[in-house]
């Protein structure tokens, strides 16, 4: 099964210059904990609710700090035409629960999460990936 069949389309972007307060309110209203960050038609990072807590609030920054102050700059993504099994395995290896999805022109077309895959694909495949994700450490742990 291809990523495009399981991903969540119509993804909202955060901007590096937006305040964390504004982005956190949008996350709360939309019921999400992850947003890709875009600038000048390019994917430049991601921001999670955990990033806001660990990289901003814990460091004494307030809601006026910007997304750029807390976002993950090491952008990991997958392509919409990749096989979900390969992507889920990669998510386990790099210890992430969600990935931006781009087309072959590298335009953002959606987000894929382990939850998307477990609900709609092979739970055994996702279980292997989840084992990797929940292991402590990794480059995206903070």
């Amino acid at each position: 099964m291809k990523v495009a069949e399981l991903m969540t389309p119509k993804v909202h972007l955060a901007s590096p210059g937006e305040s964390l307060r504004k982005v956190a309110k949008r996350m709360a209203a939309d019921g999400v904990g992850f947003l890709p960050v875009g600038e000048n038609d390019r994917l430049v990072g991601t921001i999670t609710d955990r990033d806001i807590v660990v990289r901003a609030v814990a460091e004494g920054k307030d809601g006026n700090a910007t997304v750029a102050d807390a976002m993950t700059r090491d952008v990991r993504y997958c392509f919409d035409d990749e096989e979900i099994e390969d992507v889920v395995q990669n998510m386990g290896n790099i210890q992430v629960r969600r990935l931006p999805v781009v087309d072959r022109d590298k335009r953002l077309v959606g987000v894929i999460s382990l939850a998307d895959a477990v609900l709609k694909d092979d739970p055994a495949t996702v279980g292997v990936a989840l084992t990797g994700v929940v292991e402590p450490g990794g480059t995206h742990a903070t």
Side-chain angles (χ1 to χ4, degrees):
M1 184 172 288
K2 302 289 184 190
V3 169
E5 299 173 59
L6 299 177
M7 70 182 190
T8 300
K10 299 180 184 177
V11 177
H12 298 250
L13 283 174
S15 168
E18 277 185 279
S19 74
L20 292 178
R21 178 177 291 111
K22 183 177 178 183
V23 169
K25 283 182 177 182
R26 189 161 13 124
M27 286 178 167
D30 294 344
V32 299
F34 171 94
L35 289 173
V37 180
E39 183 175 51
N40 299 324
D41 202 30
R42 291 192 54 229
L43 186 61
V44 297
T46 60
I47 185 85
T48 66
D49 47 6
R50 186 174 191 279
D51 292 335
I52 293 169
V53 171
V54 173
R55 294 187 181 146
V57 175
E59 297 294 322
K61 296 176 180 144
D62 65 15
N64 294 318
T66 65
V67 168
D69 294 329
M71 72 183 196
T72 298
R73 295 174 188 276
D74 181 18
V75 180
R76 302 293 177 108
Y77 59 87
C78 65
F79 291 104
D80 60 350
D81 61 357
E82 286 185 83
E83 292 294 329
I84 192 64
E85 293 82 10
D86 297 333
V87 170
V88 165
Q89 183 64 47
N90 185 46
M91 291 169 81
N93 292 341
I94 63 174
Q95 295 185 311
V96 298
R97 291 174 175 82
R98 298 160 287 223
L99 282 176
V101 180
V102 298
D103 63 18
R104 288 295 170 174
D105 293 325
K106 293 199 176 172
R107 300 253 186 237
L108 183 68
V109 295
V111 169
I112 189 73
S113 71
L114 288 179
D116 294 331
V118 78
L119 292 173
K120 301 174 187 171
D121 198 45
D122 177 22
T125 301
V126 177
V128 170
L130 191 56
T131 300
V133 169
V134 298
E135 289 178 8
T139 59
H140 294 284
T142 59

